[in-house]
Amino acid sequence: MASATTDRPSSSVRGLIAERGGDFSGYSFAFLDDMAKREIRRATLKAVAIPGHQVPFGSREMPIARGWGTGGLQLTLSLVGSEDRVKVIDQGDDASVNAVNLRRLVAQMTGAEETLDTAEATLIQTRHRIPEEVMRDDQILIFQVPIPEPLRFIERSVAVARGMHAEQDYSRMWLALYEDIVRRGEISAGAGYPVMVNSRFIMAPSPIPRWDIPKLNQADTLFLFGAGREKRIYAVPPHTDVRPLEFEDYAFKTEEFDGLACEVSGATDVYLVESPGENGTSRWTASDTNYADKVAAGIEVNKQW
Amino acid sequence: MVAEQTQVPEPSASSEPLLRVRDLTKIYESPGQRIVACEDVSFDVYPGEVLGIVGESGSGKSTVLQCLFQDVEATSGQAFLRSFEDGERSIFDADRRERRELRTHQMAMVYQNPRMGLNLMVTAGGNIAERLLAADWRRVDEIRDKASDYLSRTEVPVDRMDDFPAFFSGGMQQRVQIAKALANNPELVLLDELTTGLDVSVQAGVLDLVRDIQRIYGMTAVIVSHDLGVIRLLADRTLVMKDGHVVESGLTDQILEDPQHEYTQLLVNCVTN
Ligand SMILES: Nc1ncnc2c1ncn2[C@@H]1O[C@H](COP(=O)(O)OP(=O)(O)O)[C@@H](O)[C@H]1O
Ligand SMILES: [Mg+2]
């Protein structure tokens, strides 16, 4: 991206299209044509009906590259209406280039309002985080998923993995966790810790940190997961049991940031990320930028998921 | 009745066979070729008994075990396991999930080549853990206690538990495979040429081990070998197979002392002369 600064002044989708003499008028509402939206909604309904089960769908070509959130984007575009307020976060950050572009694209193709405020949003598309602020039953969280298959690391064949899900044949997954404990003294999976959904399917919660895993359990919000490259949609409906895989004597633990506080907001008990500070020091800030901004502004935020 | 003369640790259960095999047939068919690997094989196995199957290479012994463990699909015939649907439905009619249950809970197989029975990508303890995990064990300390128990039963040094069996000797691999087979107390253990791939120097040790395990824990097993010495040592009753057919069956001692079929006579004479 860095090389194109002089002859490509616009970083927004609208800017790029305008530059090339085009506009959005020839496109369907929300970019996808009606048949595509219907197909995605059907897959979504099926996913909601079978929590944690990966439903195949005909992933469309999108105006962004696969691997940059095309699965999440298709879910968002199939659901969004012009009355919605849309928020997009990339690792918790509303201001990353990718988040900004996705948010603008959705807004411009639908007339939906853009927002950074977690509480205000009706649809939130996310890469790798769940907001700290509790989401409600009138909101939907849409995850961008790179690898939807939690068994990928123990079984390369998609067909065999599907058979394992169908028969709830998960002993090899448990074996991998046992071996992990033998070798490393703990279950080492950090981001994307495998979970059991509704006591039936093992699911990859997209690579969210362990910190966010407990929020998936018995939430008020609908969670939708879209993997564009892998052409899979899955879901955790509201009030569904979602449990991290664990042994009775090696219990699941979230990340600890003992003693550290967010440098923007002073908040503790929040998922922190490290960035280089001045003079070789490190700077710890909440990865959820909207949460940090709200706390810094003295706004009270409910984070008891 | 043959069964009355065999060693039976639990007399109360002895009247009913643990496994009934009826007319088991496996035909390998490919264009221009039809191999009858085994045909109309029928037998019973009683609780606590070790049944031997002996015969020359290619006589269909391994095929019988592979059909029972459902590594291959029988062409026809039935097999009833006492614990599967009260022995009223053939295990060959099991669906995929039931078949997995049979293979991880009720039955176990020890292959001639340990690489077939072991997962070489996981530790020795992990190999045993796999069967316990399939049975919903969810405490690591209990799994490890049980794994070391099985490994010590099969005389694998417990301090090798967290090592990879890929680096073990053949004899040690075979011991781990036996430990794995015993994990989770399967009702029936199938053993295929368990010492054939091993150095002569370690064969006796493995055979003694299996015999001791059988004596102490009362394992019910079908053991296949081309070697009458193995059969003599381990089997209470024996089937003799030739060209896919059972040509003779009876108490092992009787078969060895007074073989009826001329093929058996040939086998026995080869060993004793
Ligand atoms: N997968 C197979 N395809 C074709 N023929 C086979 C296959 N497996 C075994 N056979 C044939 O079936 C017969 C019995 O083999 P097997 O059961 O391995 O005998 P044994 O264990 O007594 O040596 C042999 O003729 C063998 O060549
Ligand atoms: Mg054989």
Side-chain angles (χ1 to χ4, degrees):
Chain A
M1 299 292 280
S3 65
T5 44
T6 47
D7 51 345
R8 197 188 289 178
S10 317
S11 68
S12 74
V13 173
R14 179 169 53 185
L16 285 172
I17 289 177
E19 227 166 81
R20 289 163 196 201
D23 60 41
F24 285 105
S25 59
Y27 287 89
S28 307
F29 178 81
F31 188 81
L32 296 169
D33 64 69
D34 282 356
M35 291 309 286
K37 285 192 199 109
R38 268 184 223 171
E39 198 243 355
I40 294 165
R41 288 175 196 149
R42 269 199 301 271
T44 304
L45 285 174
K46 183 168 176 182
V48 169
I50 316 172
H53 171 61
Q54 300 163 53
V55 181
F57 80 109
S59 188
R60 303 306 191 281
E61 284 302 328
M62 300 306 288
I64 55 171
R66 293 217 163 134
W68 291 87
T70 54
L73 182 61
Q74 288 174 82
L75 279 170
T76 300
L77 292 173
S78 76
L79 295 171
V80 67
S82 49
E83 307 297 300
D84 274 303
R85 291 179 298 281
V86 178
K87 172 183 165 84
V88 180
I89 45 175
D90 186 346
Q91 310 250 30
D93 188 348
D94 298 275
S96 95
V97 173
N98 199 39
V100 171
N101 272 337
L102 287 169
R103 190 169 62 238
R104 284 187 190 157
L105 175 68
V106 175
Q108 286 162 20
M109 303 263 6
T110 60
E113 197 182 312
E114 297 181 42
T115 183
L116 311 188
D117 187 339
T118 302
E120 281 232 315
T122 54
L123 287 174
I124 301 179
Q125 182 174 328
T126 178
R127 173 170 172 267
H128 304 183
R129 273 310 309 274
I130 296 177
E132 303 289 356
E133 183 166 359
V134 176
M135 290 179 65
R136 302 177 308 265
D137 60 5
D138 59 340
Q139 299 177 298
I140 300 176
L141 184 61
I142 295 167
F143 294 77
Q144 301 169 197
V145 179
I147 300 175
E149 180 50 78
L151 306 178
R152 172 74 51 89
F153 307 101
I154 55 162
E155 176 54 62
R156 286 210 205 136
S157 157
V158 175
V160 173
R162 282 177 76 81
M164 290 165 73
H165 284 298
E167 296 175 33
Q168 213 174 346
D169 173 13
Y170 291 140
S171 56
R172 277 168 58 205
M173 185 68 171
W174 285 103
L175 179 59
L177 299 179
Y178 167 87
E179 291 280 302
D180 211 10
I181 288 169
V182 167
R183 260 175 271 168
R184 301 190 181 82
E186 60 172 357
I187 296 175
S188 60
Y193 193 99
V195 294
M196 173 65 80
V197 176
N198 200 27
S199 308
R200 179 58 185 83
F201 288 104
I202 290 182
M203 185 188 88
S206 87
I208 55 175
R210 289 182 180 215
W211 184 268
D212 289 338
I213 295 283
K215 300 174 186 169
L216 291 168
N217 185 47
Q218 288 291 338
D220 290 335
T221 306
L222 170 61
F223 300 118
L224 298 177
F225 298 81
R229 191 183 47 210
E230 306 279 334
K231 304 182 172 65
R232 293 285 185 277
I233 287 171
Y234 52 100
V236 174
H239 308 293
T240 301
D241 278 341
V242 178
R243 308 259 183 241
L245 300 188
E246 61 185 349
F247 288 97
E248 284 165 35
D249 48 346
Y250 284 83
F252 168 83
K253 285 197 204 81
T254 56
E255 293 87 352
E256 282 170 28
F257 303 98
D258 25 25
L260 290 170
C262 168
E263 289 196 15
V264 172
S265 60
T268 55
D269 197 25
V270 62
Y271 187 74
L272 297 172
V273 284
E274 191 179 8
S275 54
E278 277 161 39
N279 309 326
T281 57
S282 22
R283 197 175 127 81
W284 290 88
T285 51
S287 109
D288 183 338
T289 53
N290 180 245
Y291 175 77
D293 290 346
K294 281 188 173 177
V295 173
I299 299 168
E300 204 170 307
V301 179
N302 176 14
K303 57 195 284 292
Q304 286 304 310
W305 275 84
Chain B
M1 272 276 286
V2 169
E4 283 160 14
Q5 295 161 34
T6 57
Q7 264 183 296
V8 179
E10 283 178 288
S12 60
S14 66
S15 52
E16 210 192 316
L18 187 140
L19 174 74
R20 289 181 294 135
V21 178
R22 293 292 176 268
D23 303 322
L24 173 59
T25 300
K26 175 66 187 176
I27 297 167
Y28 285 104
E29 233 161 338
S30 54
Q33 222 189 5
R34 187 170 186 275
I35 298 168
V36 180
C38 66
E39 189 170 39
D40 292 335
V41 172
S42 300
F43 58 87
D44 291 341
V45 183
Y46 288 83
E49 169 182 56
V50 175
L51 179 79
I53 303 181
V54 71
E56 64 191 0
S57 175
S59 58
K61 309 178 298 293
S62 296
T63 302
V64 169
L65 290 195
Q66 286 159 9
C67 288
L68 291 175
F69 201 57
Q70 306 199 60
D71 282 336
V72 303
E73 196 183 336
T75 307
S76 63
Q78 294 168 307
F80 304 95
L81 192 67
R82 199 176 55 179
S83 66
F84 180 72
E85 307 265 302
D86 291 327
E88 283 168 11
R89 188 163 139 244
S90 169
I91 60 172
F92 300 152
D93 296 332
D95 65 25
R96 278 178 52 150
R97 204 185 55 76
E98 290 169 330
R99 198 176 310 160
R100 184 162 52 82
E101 286 270 316
L102 282 164
R103 290 165 56 100
T104 53
H105 290 68
Q106 277 113 305
M107 300 170 120
M109 175 87 128
V110 175
Y111 295 88
Q112 172 175 347
N113 182 350
R115 282 162 194 275
M116 295 279 296
L118 292 177
N119 182 345
L120 296 179
M121 306 299 286
V122 302
T123 58
N127 268 281
I128 294 161
E130 188 170 2
R131 281 179 69 93
L132 302 174
L133 290 164
D136 293 331
W137 289 49
R138 291 294 178 265
R139 283 195 67 94
V140 173
D141 54 3
E142 287 174 7
I143 290 169
R144 292 180 67 74
D145 283 352
K146 204 71 196 169
S148 44
D149 178 26
Y150 285 118
L151 288 172
S152 52
R153 283 187 205 182
T154 56
E155 295 163 14
V156 176
V158 170
D159 61 6
R160 305 295 308 269
M161 180 158 94
D162 295 334
D163 294 341
F164 290 88
F167 304 116
F168 292 0
S169 68
M172 183 98 90
Q173 286 181 348
Q174 204 57 304
R175 290 170 193 276
V176 176
Q177 207 196 170
I178 295 166
K180 178 178 188 170
L182 297 175
N184 201 24
N185 291 321
E187 238 189 316
L188 179 67
V189 181
L190 309 170
L191 304 112
D192 192 1
E193 303 279 4
L194 111 133
T195 51
T196 304
L198 301 182
D199 285 351
V200 178
S201 58
V202 296
Q203 287 185 3
V206 171
L207 291 175
D208 284 346
L209 173 77
V210 170
R211 193 188 48 192
D212 291 346
I213 287 171
Q214 205 280 326
R215 292 223 172 117
I216 298 168
Y217 303 103
M219 162 176 83
T220 307
V222 180
I223 181 158
V224 153
S225 181
H226 69 285
D227 182 348
L228 266 181
V230 173
I231 297 295
R232 185 204 308 270
L233 190 68
L234 296 177
D236 304 310
R237 278 190 311 128
T238 295
L239 309 181
V240 182
M241 285 187 72
K242 183 179 180 351
D243 298 335
H245 293 260
V246 176
V247 294
E248 184 163 355
S249 67
L251 289 175
T252 306
D253 293 343
Q254 274 173 14
I255 284 184
L256 290 174
E257 269 155 42
D258 184 21
Q260 300 297 306
H261 194 276
E262 60 180 311
Y263 174 72
T264 318
Q265 291 165 0
L266 209 67
L267 272 183
V268 172
N269 288 337
C270 280
V271 176
T272 46
N273 294 349

